[in-house]
Amino acid sequence: MSPAVFGHGHLRLYLLSVLDDRPMHGYEIIQALKDRFGGTYVPSAGTIYPRLAKLEAEGLVTKESDGRKTVYALTDAGRAELNDRRDELDDIENGIGDSVRRLADEVRASVSDAMSTLRAELAAAARESRDDRNHVVNEARDAARTAGATATSAASAAGAAATDAVRDAVHDAAASMHSSPTESRSDARAQLQRAEVLLAEFRQDVRTDLRSAVARGSLASSTIDDLESRLSRLRADIGGLL
């Protein structure tokens, strides 16, 4: 969600409030904000770190290296500003409930729209599949009528041989109906939809992992190089199967 859930200067004050609980590194700050908003608002590293840098420049927070992590803590000046603006912070806290409810409503609406679209697409696919099956049945029925007429004409001249021809024609028409390529196309479309869902879930999971790595400051270029190489090999493998 957008940081517009905070008014001008409010995120700055809210960061001071979060750090008033205890010193934290950047990822912990992001998680603390996520928890306070019930998961409906997760600030990006690009939103949080520039504001922390500005607070440090103003002498309101300090940062210290703790191994691979950078830990931020309130200074006396930061705690003094926080105490001076407690009333304003209380107003922000009261407004958070409204923000959470609004964001939750937006999420529910987005999910509802996505489900409606999916239902419409599935219904259209079902209608198309049903129309294809009806077309195949009609073709088979026409073929059977034609074969029957031919057999009847031949029966007047060949008797039993014509009867065998009718049986063969009807059998061929039924076999044609059950082995129609249209059913194969319908199955292929269903598999395509399944593949698209899997790819969307994979993309979302990888994107979340990468953002978490960025927030922790642990995303190396070698990781992306390895990801690119593996995706290229996977694409080549899939191309070889098709």
Side-chain angles (χ1 to χ4, degrees), residues 37-38 57 76 97 118:
F37 276 83
D76 291 340
L118 179 58

Side-chain angles (χ1 to χ4, degrees), residues 53-106:
K54 186 174 181 180
L55 290 173
E56 182 191 7
E58 295 174 1
L60 302 180
V61 302
T62 61
K63 68 177 183 181
E64 294 182 2
S65 178
D66 181 15
R68 296 178 59 187
K69 300 176 182 178
T70 298
V71 177
Y72 296 86
L74 274 186
T75 64
D76 291 340
R79 190 166 287 105
E81 177 170 335
L82 180 63
N83 290 332
D84 289 341
R85 299 175 65 185
R86 284 291 180 186
D87 292 342
E88 185 178 348
L89 181 62
D90 290 340
D91 292 338
I92 296 175
E93 292 282 0
N94 292 333
I96 283 178
D98 293 336
S99 297
V100 168
R101 284 190 291 272
R102 186 180 70 253
L103 291 171
D105 289 342
E106 291 176 359

Side-chain angles (χ1 to χ4, degrees), residues 94-151:
N94 292 333
I96 283 178
D98 293 336
S99 297
V100 168
R101 284 190 291 272
R102 186 180 70 253
L103 291 171
D105 289 342
E106 291 176 359
V107 170
R108 282 194 293 270
S110 178
V111 171
S112 178
D113 290 343
M115 291 300 297
S116 297
T117 299
L118 179 58
R119 282 194 293 269
E121 291 176 350
L122 291 176
R127 286 194 299 271
E128 183 177 353
S129 177
R130 185 169 57 252
D131 292 342
D132 288 342
R133 288 197 299 271
N134 291 339
H135 180 66
V136 172
V137 170
N138 290 335
E139 286 185 343
R141 189 178 293 117
D142 291 341
R145 290 197 190 99
T146 300
T150 301

